[in-house]
Amino acid sequence: MKHLHILFGNLARKKVRTALTVGSFAVAMFLFGILVVVRLAFQAGVEIAGLDRLIIINRTSIIQPMPLAHRDRIQRVPGVTKVTFSNWFGGYYQNEKNFFPIFSIDTDSWLGVYNEFEVPPEQWKAFTEDREGAIVGEKLVERYGWKLGDRIPIKGTIFAGNWEFNLRGIYKGTRQQDDPTQFWFHWKYFDERKEFQKGMAGWYTLRIDNPDNAVRASKAIDQLFANSPYETKTETERTFAANWVKQMGNIEFLILSIGTVVMFTLLLVTGNTMAISVRERVRELAVLKAIGYSDRTVLTLIMLESLVIAALGGAVGLGLAKLFSLRGDPTGGILPIFYLPNIWLLYGFAGALVIGSIAGVIPAVSAMRLRVVEALRRV
Amino acid sequence: MVRVDGENNGRALIQVRNIDMKYRRGSEEIHVLQGLSLDVAEGEFVAFMGPSGSGKTTLLNLIGGLDTPTSGSIRVGGEEISELSSAELTAWRARNVGFIFQMYNLLPVLTAFQNVELPLLLTKLSRADRRRHVEAALSLVGLEDRMKHYPSQLSGGQGQRVAIARAIVADPTFLLCDEPTGDLDRKSAHEILDLLTALSKEHGKTILMVTHDPLAAEHADTILHLDKGELVETVRTEARV
Ligand SMILES: Nc1ncnc2c1ncn2[C@@H]1O[C@H](COP(=O)(O)OP(=O)(O)OP(=O)(O)O)[C@@H](O)[C@H]1O
Ligand SMILES: [Mg+2]
């Protein structure tokens, strides 16, 4: 296009103003990127949670355990293929800030149910042979600079005392959303050492042969233990994860409202800037039209100006958000899954262009409608 | 040949016949031009004078295709322009009219060269051809050494010369100048008027100019007075034939 130098001349006319507008776009799009990351972080667990996996917790409360004896009876329910169990171990490494999920797991059945995690076989073997062994997610290992064979002290909070484990293996998630920050150790060791709740499992996780059987199997299991001292509540892993997110507050709504307010503000800021900048050069636009520039060309010039601002700001903001996300979870554990997929960069960029065109459209149309004779009279 | 009686035989380049121009301002109707006729032959240099508000700018805008008359006919080179749509008029202006306004003519974000190039961007000329034309136009107005200057780096007279270069660069059918010297000091004004005279005499350009300055009007071949919506030809001062 031969007229590009006019466009860039106009953008360069008030450099500070253009920079500020581009800057507000960049800030807003950066925020958008981070909101997406946070949303995905909360949703990640829900989205990948299996429909063919059920979680059984104590009906009274998730913190109440259930007897190990449940296990065999669950196993016999039609449709159930594999069962494992584990307990939550509240604890931290060195100080309370170094918090991550610690589970005591049943080494025989764990990977059969949680088959998205991969552990090198020789490491797994070393782990099973060491009572005090532990398997840790790769991100966690990276965070604390641990090496295989390291002795890791963990301070127990629920089961008080100093616990020590030997790092025997490192697991990897096979999907991007798999939590790479868990810490696993032997349920048997845990059960022997603790002073209360012996022989109890925190929750059961099981696989079923077909997701269609989820409802039937859940009902059958809960019926099995109805009216016993340890009633159960069985849900698919996805429902469980969704309820868990819900407990954290309505994150989705929060993010949506923040996002909307920011985008609306951006629209006003940019629209206003464009309107001012068109008003300032009414005379010039009139001269262009007198010379023979069509209404369409004038409209296009103004629209493009707004779009260039949006594209620049969008690219900068989203680029920064991507860089930020690549550095990983800044909260030190609250958002273990912290990433910005490229498709969302594309959505964001498209969104920026949409806002840019909406912001440009009113000033551009008024420039298009501008009547030369009237504009030339206004000095 | 210039006539104001509407009795020309149809050979004139610009033929204005019996035009009326009314403006509405609220309930009030302002009748600016009433049954005005005008013929301007090719190569003529015509000056329009008249009191403020008499309709000089209005007339020029109509002939330049910036506005359409309430009634009447305007033909340029045989083409009726009062019936063209706004988009057609825009394209027509690009081909036929070179505008020179009183002030704020140039785009401040473009260099002298780029300002002069503007009308050529609407043509199919190659970059090299555009450059040739722009350089020729700028040297014609004596500013070949100011091509890279921005309007803010030029004097008022130089700026107006750039505007003249821009008006002639696409070789339009005629030039319209609305008080081209209104903002200039005597000396600069004189330079501009000499330039317009040269364009008329040496290059055969048809020029219609509005001015308040009798000395400026003296440069034209014909001086017309516009008063109460009607044109009256002024007796020529034979001084500069
Ligand atoms: N868009 C408009 N709406 C209403 N009235 C208008 C409009 N344009 C011009 N007029 C009126 O038409 C009359 C002629 O205006 P015009 O600008 O043609 O005068 P002029 O002879 O050029 O005056 P000046 O010497 O001051 O430039 C004036 O009374 C003006 O107020
Ligand atoms: Mg005027």
Side-chain angles (χ1 to χ4, degrees), chain A residues 371 373-374 377, chain B residues 21-25 28 30-33 49-61 67 102 178-179 210-212 226:
Chain A
R371 295 200 55 234
V373 279
E374 278 158 27
R377 265 174 212 286
Chain B
M21 192 61 181
K22 294 173 193 165
Y23 289 113
R24 286 212 145 275
R25 201 183 282 144
E28 189 188 359
I30 309 163
H31 211 146
V32 182
L33 303 175
M49 299 193 71
S52 184
S54 55
K56 304 181 295 295
T57 296
T58 302
L59 178 60
L60 230 55
N61 286 345
D67 212 346
Q102 182 173 355
D178 196 347
E179 301 186 40
V210 166
T211 182
H212 280 288
L226 187 61

Side-chain angles (χ1 to χ4, degrees), chain A residues 2-3 5-6 9-10 12-13 283-284 287-295 297 371-373 376-377 379, chain B residues 23 57-58 61 66-67 90 93-94 99 101 103-105 107-110 114 118-119 121-123 130 166:
Chain A
K2 289 184 282 191
H3 305 107
H5 66 286
I6 305 179
N10 284 329
R13 168 191 314 244
R283 178 101 194 175
E284 291 164 38
V287 168
L288 274 181
K289 286 187 172 192
I291 288 176
Y293 279 70
S294 68
D295 293 349
T297 308
R371 295 200 55 234
V372 183
V373 279
L376 287 177
R377 265 174 212 286
V379 177
Chain B
Y23 289 113
T57 296
T58 302
N61 286 345
L66 290 174
D67 212 346
T90 305
R93 287 198 301 271
F99 287 98
F101 304 104
M103 54 199 272
Y104 306 120
N105 249 319
L107 268 63
V109 298
L110 302 182
Q114 290 170 328
L118 283 173
L121 295 178
L122 299 169
T123 67
R130 294 203 300 266
R166 186 180 63 196

